[in-house]
Short mmCIF file of all heavy atoms in Angstrom, two decimals:
data_model
loop_
_atom_site.label_atom_id
_atom_site.label_comp_id
_atom_site.label_asym_id
_atom_site.label_seq_id
_atom_site.Cartn_x
_atom_site.Cartn_y
_atom_site.Cartn_z
N MET A 10 112.62 96.14 91.05
CA MET A 10 112.05 96.30 89.72
C MET A 10 111.50 97.72 89.59
O MET A 10 110.84 98.22 90.48
CB MET A 10 110.95 95.28 89.50
CG MET A 10 110.27 95.47 88.15
SD MET A 10 108.79 94.48 87.96
CE MET A 10 109.48 92.89 87.66
N LYS A 11 111.80 98.35 88.48
CA LYS A 11 111.34 99.71 88.25
C LYS A 11 109.91 99.70 87.72
O LYS A 11 109.52 98.85 86.93
CB LYS A 11 112.23 100.42 87.23
CG LYS A 11 113.61 100.69 87.72
CD LYS A 11 114.40 101.43 86.69
CE LYS A 11 115.82 101.67 87.13
NZ LYS A 11 116.61 102.31 86.12
N SER A 12 109.17 100.67 88.17
CA SER A 12 107.80 100.83 87.70
C SER A 12 107.81 101.42 86.29
O SER A 12 108.68 102.21 85.93
CB SER A 12 107.06 101.75 88.66
OG SER A 12 106.07 102.47 88.03
N THR A 13 106.84 101.03 85.49
CA THR A 13 106.75 101.54 84.12
C THR A 13 106.56 103.05 84.11
O THR A 13 107.17 103.75 83.29
CB THR A 13 105.58 100.86 83.38
OG1 THR A 13 105.79 99.46 83.40
CG2 THR A 13 105.50 101.32 81.94
N SER A 14 105.74 103.57 85.02
CA SER A 14 105.51 105.01 85.04
C SER A 14 106.79 105.77 85.40
O SER A 14 107.06 106.83 84.85
CB SER A 14 104.39 105.37 86.01
OG SER A 14 104.71 104.99 87.32
N LYS A 15 107.59 105.20 86.30
CA LYS A 15 108.86 105.84 86.66
C LYS A 15 109.82 105.82 85.48
O LYS A 15 110.51 106.80 85.21
CB LYS A 15 109.49 105.16 87.87
CG LYS A 15 108.74 105.42 89.16
CD LYS A 15 109.39 104.71 90.32
CE LYS A 15 108.59 104.85 91.58
NZ LYS A 15 109.22 104.13 92.70
N GLN A 16 109.85 104.70 84.76
CA GLN A 16 110.72 104.61 83.58
C GLN A 16 110.28 105.61 82.52
O GLN A 16 111.11 106.27 81.89
CB GLN A 16 110.68 103.20 83.00
CG GLN A 16 111.43 102.19 83.82
CD GLN A 16 111.31 100.78 83.26
OE1 GLN A 16 110.37 100.48 82.53
NE2 GLN A 16 112.25 99.93 83.62
N ASN A 17 108.97 105.73 82.31
CA ASN A 17 108.46 106.68 81.33
C ASN A 17 108.78 108.11 81.73
O ASN A 17 109.12 108.93 80.86
CB ASN A 17 106.95 106.51 81.15
CG ASN A 17 106.60 105.25 80.40
OD1 ASN A 17 107.43 104.68 79.71
ND2 ASN A 17 105.38 104.79 80.56
N LEU A 18 108.69 108.41 83.02
CA LEU A 18 109.05 109.76 83.48
C LEU A 18 110.53 110.04 83.23
O LEU A 18 110.88 111.12 82.76
CB LEU A 18 108.72 109.93 84.96
CG LEU A 18 107.28 110.27 85.30
CD1 LEU A 18 107.07 110.23 86.81
CD2 LEU A 18 106.91 111.63 84.75
N ARG A 19 111.37 109.06 83.53
CA ARG A 19 112.81 109.25 83.31
C ARG A 19 113.12 109.49 81.83
O ARG A 19 113.92 110.35 81.48
CB ARG A 19 113.58 108.05 83.82
CG ARG A 19 113.69 108.00 85.31
CD ARG A 19 114.59 106.86 85.78
NE ARG A 19 114.67 106.83 87.21
CZ ARG A 19 113.90 106.07 87.99
NH1 ARG A 19 113.01 105.27 87.45
NH2 ARG A 19 114.03 106.10 89.30
N LYS A 20 112.48 108.72 80.96
CA LYS A 20 112.68 108.90 79.53
C LYS A 20 112.19 110.26 79.07
O LYS A 20 112.84 110.93 78.27
CB LYS A 20 111.95 107.80 78.74
CG LYS A 20 112.61 106.46 78.83
CD LYS A 20 111.82 105.41 78.06
CE LYS A 20 112.42 104.03 78.24
NZ LYS A 20 111.65 103.00 77.54
N SER A 21 111.04 110.68 79.58
CA SER A 21 110.49 111.99 79.21
C SER A 21 111.39 113.13 79.67
O SER A 21 111.60 114.10 78.95
CB SER A 21 109.09 112.16 79.81
OG SER A 21 108.20 111.23 79.26
N ILE A 22 111.91 112.98 80.89
CA ILE A 22 112.81 114.01 81.42
C ILE A 22 114.06 114.12 80.54
O ILE A 22 114.47 115.22 80.17
CB ILE A 22 113.18 113.71 82.89
CG1 ILE A 22 111.96 113.90 83.79
CG2 ILE A 22 114.34 114.60 83.35
CD1 ILE A 22 112.13 113.33 85.19
N GLN A 23 114.65 112.97 80.20
CA GLN A 23 115.85 112.99 79.37
C GLN A 23 115.56 113.58 78.00
O GLN A 23 116.37 114.35 77.47
CB GLN A 23 116.43 111.58 79.24
CG GLN A 23 117.79 111.56 78.58
CD GLN A 23 118.80 112.39 79.33
OE1 GLN A 23 119.01 112.20 80.52
NE2 GLN A 23 119.44 113.32 78.66
N LEU A 24 114.43 113.23 77.42
CA LEU A 24 114.04 113.78 76.12
C LEU A 24 113.89 115.29 76.19
O LEU A 24 114.39 116.02 75.31
CB LEU A 24 112.73 113.14 75.66
CG LEU A 24 112.19 113.62 74.32
CD1 LEU A 24 113.13 113.22 73.19
CD2 LEU A 24 110.80 113.04 74.09
N LEU A 25 113.25 115.79 77.24
CA LEU A 25 113.07 117.23 77.39
C LEU A 25 114.41 117.94 77.58
O LEU A 25 114.63 119.03 77.04
CB LEU A 25 112.14 117.53 78.56
CG LEU A 25 110.66 117.26 78.30
CD1 LEU A 25 109.88 117.28 79.61
CD2 LEU A 25 110.10 118.28 77.32
N LEU A 26 115.31 117.33 78.35
CA LEU A 26 116.62 117.95 78.55
C LEU A 26 117.41 117.99 77.24
O LEU A 26 118.10 118.99 76.96
CB LEU A 26 117.40 117.19 79.63
CG LEU A 26 116.85 117.34 81.04
CD1 LEU A 26 117.62 116.44 82.00
CD2 LEU A 26 116.90 118.78 81.51
N ASN A 27 117.30 116.94 76.44
CA ASN A 27 117.96 116.94 75.13
C ASN A 27 117.37 118.01 74.22
O ASN A 27 118.10 118.71 73.51
CB ASN A 27 117.85 115.57 74.47
CG ASN A 27 118.69 114.52 75.15
OD1 ASN A 27 119.62 114.83 75.89
ND2 ASN A 27 118.35 113.27 74.93
N LYS A 28 116.05 118.16 74.24
CA LYS A 28 115.39 119.19 73.44
C LYS A 28 115.81 120.58 73.90
O LYS A 28 116.02 121.48 73.08
CB LYS A 28 113.87 119.04 73.51
CG LYS A 28 113.33 117.90 72.71
CD LYS A 28 111.82 117.87 72.75
CE LYS A 28 111.25 116.78 71.87
NZ LYS A 28 109.78 116.86 71.80
N ALA A 29 115.94 120.75 75.21
CA ALA A 29 116.37 122.04 75.75
C ALA A 29 117.78 122.37 75.28
O ALA A 29 118.07 123.51 74.89
CB ALA A 29 116.30 122.03 77.28
N LYS A 30 118.65 121.38 75.31
CA LYS A 30 120.03 121.59 74.88
C LYS A 30 120.08 121.97 73.40
O LYS A 30 120.79 122.90 73.01
CB LYS A 30 120.85 120.32 75.12
CG LYS A 30 122.33 120.50 74.87
CD LYS A 30 123.11 119.20 74.92
CE LYS A 30 122.96 118.47 76.21
NZ LYS A 30 123.80 117.24 76.28
N ASN A 31 119.30 121.26 72.58
CA ASN A 31 119.28 121.56 71.15
C ASN A 31 118.69 122.94 70.88
O ASN A 31 119.19 123.67 70.02
CB ASN A 31 118.50 120.49 70.39
CG ASN A 31 119.25 119.18 70.31
OD1 ASN A 31 120.47 119.16 70.39
ND2 ASN A 31 118.52 118.09 70.18
N ALA A 32 117.64 123.30 71.58
CA ALA A 32 117.03 124.62 71.40
C ALA A 32 118.01 125.72 71.78
O ALA A 32 118.10 126.74 71.10
CB ALA A 32 115.75 124.72 72.22
N GLU A 33 118.76 125.50 72.85
CA GLU A 33 119.74 126.49 73.27
C GLU A 33 120.86 126.63 72.24
O GLU A 33 121.29 127.74 71.93
CB GLU A 33 120.32 126.11 74.63
CG GLU A 33 121.18 127.19 75.23
CD GLU A 33 121.63 126.87 76.63
OE1 GLU A 33 121.40 125.74 77.11
OE2 GLU A 33 122.23 127.76 77.25
N ARG A 34 121.30 125.50 71.69
CA ARG A 34 122.32 125.55 70.64
C ARG A 34 121.84 126.34 69.43
O ARG A 34 122.63 127.00 68.77
CB ARG A 34 122.66 124.13 70.18
CG ARG A 34 123.67 123.45 71.00
CD ARG A 34 124.16 122.19 70.30
NE ARG A 34 124.59 121.24 71.30
CZ ARG A 34 124.27 119.97 71.34
NH1 ARG A 34 123.49 119.46 70.43
NH2 ARG A 34 124.71 119.20 72.30
N ASN A 35 120.54 126.24 69.14
CA ASN A 35 119.96 126.95 68.00
C ASN A 35 119.59 128.39 68.32
O ASN A 35 119.07 129.09 67.45
CB ASN A 35 118.73 126.19 67.48
CG ASN A 35 119.10 124.85 66.90
OD1 ASN A 35 120.18 124.67 66.36
ND2 ASN A 35 118.19 123.90 67.02
N GLY A 36 119.83 128.81 69.54
CA GLY A 36 119.58 130.19 69.91
C GLY A 36 118.15 130.47 70.35
O GLY A 36 117.79 131.63 70.57
N ASN A 37 117.34 129.44 70.50
CA ASN A 37 115.95 129.63 70.92
C ASN A 37 115.88 129.45 72.44
O ASN A 37 115.48 128.41 72.95
CB ASN A 37 115.04 128.63 70.19
CG ASN A 37 113.59 128.96 70.35
OD1 ASN A 37 113.20 129.72 71.23
ND2 ASN A 37 112.76 128.40 69.48
N TYR A 38 116.27 130.49 73.16
CA TYR A 38 116.39 130.41 74.61
C TYR A 38 115.04 130.30 75.31
O TYR A 38 114.92 129.67 76.35
CB TYR A 38 117.19 131.60 75.14
CG TYR A 38 118.59 131.61 74.59
CD1 TYR A 38 118.96 132.54 73.63
CD2 TYR A 38 119.52 130.67 75.00
CE1 TYR A 38 120.24 132.53 73.09
CE2 TYR A 38 120.80 130.65 74.48
CZ TYR A 38 121.15 131.59 73.53
OH TYR A 38 122.41 131.57 73.00
N SER A 39 114.02 130.88 74.72
CA SER A 39 112.68 130.80 75.29
C SER A 39 112.19 129.36 75.29
O SER A 39 111.66 128.86 76.28
CB SER A 39 111.72 131.69 74.50
OG SER A 39 110.41 131.55 74.98
N LEU A 40 112.36 128.68 74.18
CA LEU A 40 111.95 127.28 74.07
C LEU A 40 112.82 126.40 74.97
O LEU A 40 112.31 125.48 75.63
CB LEU A 40 112.03 126.82 72.62
CG LEU A 40 111.46 125.44 72.31
CD1 LEU A 40 109.98 125.35 72.68
CD2 LEU A 40 111.64 125.12 70.83
N ALA A 41 114.10 126.68 75.03
CA ALA A 41 115.00 125.92 75.90
C ALA A 41 114.56 126.05 77.36
O ALA A 41 114.56 125.06 78.10
CB ALA A 41 116.44 126.41 75.73
N HIS A 42 114.18 127.26 77.74
CA HIS A 42 113.72 127.49 79.12
C HIS A 42 112.43 126.72 79.39
O HIS A 42 112.27 126.12 80.46
CB HIS A 42 113.52 128.98 79.35
CG HIS A 42 113.17 129.33 80.75
ND1 HIS A 42 113.98 129.06 81.81
CD2 HIS A 42 112.05 129.91 81.26
CE1 HIS A 42 113.38 129.47 82.93
NE2 HIS A 42 112.21 129.97 82.61
N GLN A 43 111.53 126.69 78.42
CA GLN A 43 110.27 125.96 78.59
C GLN A 43 110.52 124.46 78.75
O GLN A 43 109.95 123.82 79.62
CB GLN A 43 109.33 126.21 77.40
CG GLN A 43 107.99 125.51 77.53
CD GLN A 43 107.21 125.98 78.74
OE1 GLN A 43 107.06 127.17 78.95
NE2 GLN A 43 106.72 125.04 79.52
N TYR A 44 111.39 123.92 77.92
CA TYR A 44 111.73 122.49 78.02
C TYR A 44 112.37 122.19 79.38
O TYR A 44 112.07 121.18 80.01
CB TYR A 44 112.68 122.07 76.91
CG TYR A 44 112.04 121.89 75.56
CD1 TYR A 44 112.69 122.31 74.40
CD2 TYR A 44 110.80 121.29 75.40
CE1 TYR A 44 112.12 122.15 73.15
CE2 TYR A 44 110.22 121.12 74.16
CZ TYR A 44 110.89 121.56 73.03
OH TYR A 44 110.33 121.39 71.80
N SER A 45 113.23 123.08 79.83
CA SER A 45 113.89 122.88 81.13
C SER A 45 112.87 122.92 82.26
O SER A 45 112.94 122.11 83.20
CB SER A 45 114.94 123.96 81.36
OG SER A 45 115.97 123.85 80.42
N ASP A 46 111.93 123.86 82.18
CA ASP A 46 110.89 123.94 83.20
C ASP A 46 110.03 122.67 83.21
O ASP A 46 109.67 122.17 84.27
CB ASP A 46 109.99 125.15 82.96
CG ASP A 46 110.63 126.45 83.39
OD1 ASP A 46 111.68 126.41 84.07
OD2 ASP A 46 110.07 127.51 83.04
N ASP A 47 109.70 122.17 82.03
CA ASP A 47 108.90 120.95 81.93
C ASP A 47 109.65 119.76 82.53
O ASP A 47 109.07 118.94 83.24
CB ASP A 47 108.52 120.66 80.48
CG ASP A 47 107.54 121.66 79.92
OD1 ASP A 47 106.94 122.44 80.70
OD2 ASP A 47 107.37 121.69 78.68
N ALA A 48 110.95 119.68 82.24
CA ALA A 48 111.76 118.60 82.79
C ALA A 48 111.82 118.70 84.31
O ALA A 48 111.74 117.68 85.02
CB ALA A 48 113.17 118.63 82.20
N TYR A 49 111.93 119.91 84.82
CA TYR A 49 111.96 120.12 86.27
C TYR A 49 110.65 119.66 86.91
O TYR A 49 110.65 118.98 87.93
CB TYR A 49 112.23 121.59 86.59
CG TYR A 49 112.21 121.90 88.06
CD1 TYR A 49 113.29 121.54 88.87
CD2 TYR A 49 111.13 122.53 88.65
CE1 TYR A 49 113.28 121.81 90.23
CE2 TYR A 49 111.10 122.79 90.01
CZ TYR A 49 112.19 122.43 90.78
OH TYR A 49 112.17 122.69 92.13
N PHE A 50 109.54 120.02 86.28
CA PHE A 50 108.23 119.61 86.79
C PHE A 50 108.13 118.08 86.84
O PHE A 50 107.68 117.50 87.83
CB PHE A 50 107.12 120.20 85.93
CG PHE A 50 105.75 119.68 86.29
CD1 PHE A 50 105.10 120.15 87.41
CD2 PHE A 50 105.13 118.72 85.51
CE1 PHE A 50 103.84 119.66 87.77
CE2 PHE A 50 103.88 118.22 85.84
CZ PHE A 50 103.23 118.70 86.98
N LEU A 51 108.54 117.43 85.76
CA LEU A 51 108.48 115.96 85.73
C LEU A 51 109.42 115.34 86.76
O LEU A 51 109.11 114.29 87.33
CB LEU A 51 108.82 115.45 84.33
CG LEU A 51 107.77 115.70 83.26
CD1 LEU A 51 108.24 115.12 81.92
CD2 LEU A 51 106.43 115.10 83.64
N SER A 52 110.55 115.99 87.01
CA SER A 52 111.47 115.45 88.02
C SER A 52 110.84 115.51 89.41
O SER A 52 111.06 114.62 90.23
CB SER A 52 112.81 116.19 88.00
OG SER A 52 112.68 117.49 88.54
N LYS A 53 110.04 116.52 89.66
CA LYS A 53 109.32 116.62 90.94
C LYS A 53 108.26 115.53 91.04
O LYS A 53 108.02 114.98 92.11
CB LYS A 53 108.69 118.01 91.13
CG LYS A 53 109.72 119.09 91.35
CD LYS A 53 110.52 118.78 92.58
CE LYS A 53 111.62 119.76 92.82
NZ LYS A 53 112.47 119.40 93.95
N GLU A 54 107.62 115.23 89.92
CA GLU A 54 106.63 114.14 89.89
C GLU A 54 107.34 112.80 90.17
O GLU A 54 106.82 111.97 90.92
CB GLU A 54 105.93 114.08 88.53
CG GLU A 54 105.03 115.25 88.25
CD GLU A 54 103.83 115.30 89.18
OE1 GLU A 54 103.22 114.24 89.41
OE2 GLU A 54 103.51 116.39 89.67
N LEU A 55 108.49 112.60 89.58
CA LEU A 55 109.26 111.37 89.80
C LEU A 55 109.69 111.27 91.25
O LEU A 55 109.59 110.21 91.87
CB LEU A 55 110.48 111.35 88.88
CG LEU A 55 111.37 110.13 88.98
CD1 LEU A 55 110.62 108.87 88.58
CD2 LEU A 55 112.59 110.31 88.09
N GLU A 56 110.11 112.38 91.81
CA GLU A 56 110.52 112.39 93.21
C GLU A 56 109.35 112.02 94.12
O GLU A 56 109.52 111.27 95.09
CB GLU A 56 111.03 113.79 93.56
CG GLU A 56 111.72 113.90 94.89
CD GLU A 56 112.31 115.27 95.11
OE1 GLU A 56 113.07 115.73 94.25
OE2 GLU A 56 111.98 115.88 96.14
N ALA A 57 108.16 112.48 93.78
CA ALA A 57 106.97 112.16 94.58
C ALA A 57 106.63 110.68 94.48
O ALA A 57 106.10 110.09 95.44
CB ALA A 57 105.79 113.01 94.11
N LEU A 58 106.93 110.05 93.35
CA LEU A 58 106.63 108.63 93.18
C LEU A 58 107.62 107.72 93.89
O LEU A 58 107.34 106.53 94.05
CB LEU A 58 106.62 108.28 91.68
CG LEU A 58 105.41 108.71 90.90
CD1 LEU A 58 105.63 108.39 89.42
CD2 LEU A 58 104.16 108.02 91.41
N LYS A 59 108.76 108.23 94.27
CA LYS A 59 109.79 107.37 94.88
C LYS A 59 109.30 106.69 96.15
O LYS A 59 109.77 105.61 96.48
CB LYS A 59 111.06 108.18 95.15
CG LYS A 59 111.85 108.44 93.91
CD LYS A 59 113.19 109.02 94.22
CE LYS A 59 113.96 109.18 92.93
NZ LYS A 59 115.30 109.67 93.18
N GLY A 60 108.34 107.30 96.82
CA GLY A 60 107.82 106.70 98.05
C GLY A 60 106.86 105.56 97.78
O GLY A 60 106.51 104.82 98.69
N PHE A 61 106.44 105.40 96.56
CA PHE A 61 105.45 104.37 96.23
C PHE A 61 106.08 103.14 95.65
O PHE A 61 107.08 103.13 95.08
CB PHE A 61 104.42 104.93 95.24
CG PHE A 61 103.58 105.99 95.85
CD1 PHE A 61 103.86 107.32 95.63
CD2 PHE A 61 102.50 105.66 96.65
CE1 PHE A 61 103.08 108.31 96.20
CE2 PHE A 61 101.71 106.65 97.20
CZ PHE A 61 102.01 107.97 96.99
#
């Protein structure tokens, strides 16, 4: 069974990646980079939770 916090992290990561893709399509590379960095940070948090 998946933990709610893990599911929320996965949803947040996917949302940020989608926002990054859309920002890049619109030419806003700075915002796309920020979204990508945020998604990366959350992925590290998710990785840390895998042991729990």
Side-chain angles (χ1 to χ4, degrees):
M10 177 190 283
K11 292 182 182 177
S12 150
T13 302
S14 61
K15 289 179 185 179
Q16 287 177 337
N17 288 341
L18 278 173
R19 285 186 181 95
K20 287 179 184 178
S21 296
I22 291 167
Q23 189 59 54
L24 180 65
L25 286 167
L26 291 174
N27 290 341
K28 285 184 176 187
K30 188 188 302 184
N31 288 335
E33 189 174 8
R34 275 192 208 132
N35 293 330
N37 192 342
Y38 298 107
S39 176
L40 188 59
H42 185 61
Q43 182 62 49
Y44 284 140
S45 295
D46 283 349
D47 291 346
Y49 177 76
F50 173 76
L51 289 180
S52 73
K53 290 300 176 185
E54 292 293 317
L55 181 62
E56 190 175 306
L58 284 175
K59 284 190 177 183
F61 293 99

